[in-house]
Amino acid sequence: MNDSSYYTTLPGQGLEQKLDPRLAALAGAYPEPTLLLNRSGIVLGANAAMETMLGAVRIGVPVSLMLRAPEVIEAVRETGASGASRLVPFNLRVPVERSFEAHILPIRFDPDAKTGTPDLILLVFRDLTQAMRVDQMRADFVANASHELRTPLASVTGFIDTLRGPARDDPVMREKFLNIMSDQARRMSRLIDDLLSLSRVEMNVHRPPEAAVDLVPLTAHVRDSLSPLAGDRGVEISLEAPSSAVTVRGDRDELIRLIENLVENALKYGAGGKRVEITLRTEKSDAVLSVRDFGPGIAPEHLPRLTERFYRVDIAHSREQGGTGLGLAIVKHIAARHRARLSIESEPGKGAAFSVRIPLSTG
Ligand code: ADP
């Protein structure tokens, strides 16, 4: 068989097929982007996933004209010559940066031939972009969490040394340092609580809650439990809710946590506005819960990132307020578990409004 007798396309391309159509069909059925090459690296066929990855696929041309990845082209040449399979990681930069691995697999028609030049080469690509992004996010998360714990821990350890040494016999200093240590210990404990809540909600995100929960008493409960904090900050909390039940399928504790986080943020960051409004209403088939403050608001460039773990507009201010940077990430995950949508509106200087739209329970 000479090379030209392999020239073909895979099903659906309407060109003459000289390659065994069963082989072409097999490569065509493959879910990952796949190219069929002869041993000289000429493209014989491609599947639909390959067309999506590269745009147009040209049959009968060297693969080097279609794919700008010298490391893959070189490995194809080597497989064509030696018959050994290869696995090559590579990146494509156009139209956006993506990471792949190419599996270069020799195919021999003679079942007894285990070595030597192959009859065909199967080139299969796996897109690793998403998996690598997830790995990166996980690594960033662990680095951020460790950093957030290390800072207060270093402070506590430092004060222990001071209390053992220079401040040993100074009762005023001792009292002062013990207060700081106690604040830092509380900060670590809040962070650990938030990390645990986040991981619990994340673990259950694909299991929608089943209990029927009335949001009216829930919002009143949160308003009452946060009224001492509101009093401390000189903020008035108002609550407007229907007199009849607003029932959703939900997890009571998670919904309380969600409302608490939003109201706490309004009290922490919007205290200057002296007023926080909680409203609960129904709109078509949804319950809509909004928490609005009249503080400094949030600049538009921050809005899309607010629910990222550890993202804070002003880190020092968040720490001063006892923030962990995880509150809105927890809100987002609880909302996702309840098939709810979170929206944030803010006009800098005029305050911020966080709204959650939860589907009403239908039966
Ligand atoms: P934190 O623990 O820092 O409060 P969150 O995830 O709850 O973390 O919030 C992330 C950031 O979003 C906060 O640090 C703050 O910068 C900003 N933010 C949240 N709510 C408000 C609000 N009502 N007004 C202004 N900024 C807010």
Side-chain angles (χ1 to χ4, degrees):
M1 251 193 262
N2 64 32
D3 283 344
S4 66
S5 68
Y6 287 127
Y7 277 33
T8 184
T9 70
L10 295 186
Q13 292 191 306
L15 297 177
E16 181 190 11
Q17 299 200 345
K18 288 183 184 154
L19 181 71
D20 183 335
R22 287 171 299 180
L23 259 182
L26 200 63
Y30 216 73
E32 320 254 41
T34 301
L35 279 178
L36 206 51
L37 310 175
N38 70 10
R39 74 169 78 94
S40 320
I42 303 289
V43 178
L44 305 180
N47 64 359
M50 190 74 229
E51 300 251 0
T52 310
M53 176 180 154
L54 284 189
V57 169
R58 284 151 67 200
I59 303 301
V61 303
V63 64
S64 54
L65 291 185
M66 270 178 29
L67 188 70
R68 280 186 204 290
E71 55 278 63
V72 178
I73 304 303
E74 177 55 21
V76 166
R77 198 192 57 71
E78 285 171 18
T79 299
S82 70
S85 63
R86 303 285 305 271
L87 177 60
V88 183
F90 72 102
N91 290 338
L92 287 183
R93 296 201 164 72
V94 183
V96 286
E97 174 105 23
R98 281 175 301 165
S99 304
F100 294 89
E101 64 184 14
H103 293 257
I104 302 155
L105 307 164
I107 297 177
R108 297 182 190 85
F109 294 150
D110 176 357
D112 295 331
K114 299 268 186 288
T115 54
T117 53
D119 295 295
L120 292 176
I121 297 172
L122 195 65
L123 189 52
V124 182
F125 297 99
R126 277 189 59 214
D127 191 340
L128 302 181
T129 317
Q130 188 57 23
M132 287 171 82
R133 216 171 273 157
V134 170
D135 276 355
Q136 187 57 47
M137 276 167 59
R138 196 171 294 143
D140 288 350
F141 176 65
V142 172
N144 276 325
S146 320
H147 177 76
E148 293 287 334
L149 279 171
R150 195 184 292 132
T151 317
L153 195 59
S155 148
V156 168
T157 327
F159 284 120
I160 289 174
D161 290 345
T162 319
L163 285 174
R164 281 189 170 141
R168 185 186 215 122
D169 301 317
D170 183 339
V172 178
M173 287 312 238
R174 196 168 52 217
E175 193 54 28
K176 183 177 166 199
F177 294 159
L178 283 172
N179 280 337
I180 300 176
M181 287 164 72
S182 153
D183 283 349
Q184 298 294 351
R186 271 201 292 271
R187 179 172 154 199
M188 286 188 278
S189 136
R190 266 197 311 273
L191 182 61
I192 290 167
D193 285 348
D194 277 358
L195 286 168
L196 288 175
S197 304
L198 191 60
S199 96
R200 238 191 326 265
V201 183
E202 239 181 351
M203 219 148 52
N204 287 328
V205 83
H206 299 294
R207 275 199 290 141
E210 285 169 6
V213 179
D214 179 4
L215 292 175
V216 177
L218 229 61
T219 30
H221 167 80
V222 173
R223 191 253 336 253
D224 294 346
S225 68
L226 289 177
S227 62
L229 179 65
D232 287 349
R233 314 232 154 176
V235 177
E236 187 86 34
I237 306 184
S238 68
L239 169 60
E240 197 186 308
S243 48
S244 54
V246 175
T247 308
V248 298
R249 294 255 161 243
D251 178 310
R252 189 173 182 276
D253 291 343
E254 285 185 7
L255 288 170
I256 289 179
R257 188 69 198 262
L258 179 154
I259 308 167
E260 261 175 8
N261 282 4
L262 294 179
V263 178
E264 256 177 29
N265 276 354
L267 293 173
K268 283 191 312 199
Y269 303 106
K274 302 287 175 209
R275 191 157 57 98
V276 168
E277 288 175 1
I278 310 174
T279 51
L280 176 65
R281 59 195 160 85
T282 56
E283 203 180 282
K284 294 186 186 146
S285 56
D286 294 326
V288 183
L289 176 98
S290 297
V291 178
R292 177 181 292 277
D293 70 68
F294 301 87
I298 305 155
E301 65 270 25
H302 296 294
L303 293 181
R305 300 199 56 193
L306 281 191
T307 57
E308 283 176 24
R309 292 148 195 219
F310 298 114
Y311 188 85
R312 288 171 274 200
V313 175
D314 177 341
I315 296 183
H317 184 43
S318 155
R319 290 219 176 109
E320 250 165 54
Q321 301 291 329
T324 60
L326 294 174
L328 290 178
I330 294 172
V331 166
K332 181 176 79 173
H333 278 87
I334 295 176
R337 183 165 183 235
H338 286 76
R339 307 294 178 257
R341 279 208 342 263
L342 171 71
S343 58
I344 310 172
E345 283 169 41
S346 179
E347 204 177 317
K350 295 200 172 159
F354 290 72
S355 304
V356 187
R357 188 175 276 274
I358 314 173
L360 284 168
S361 167
T362 45

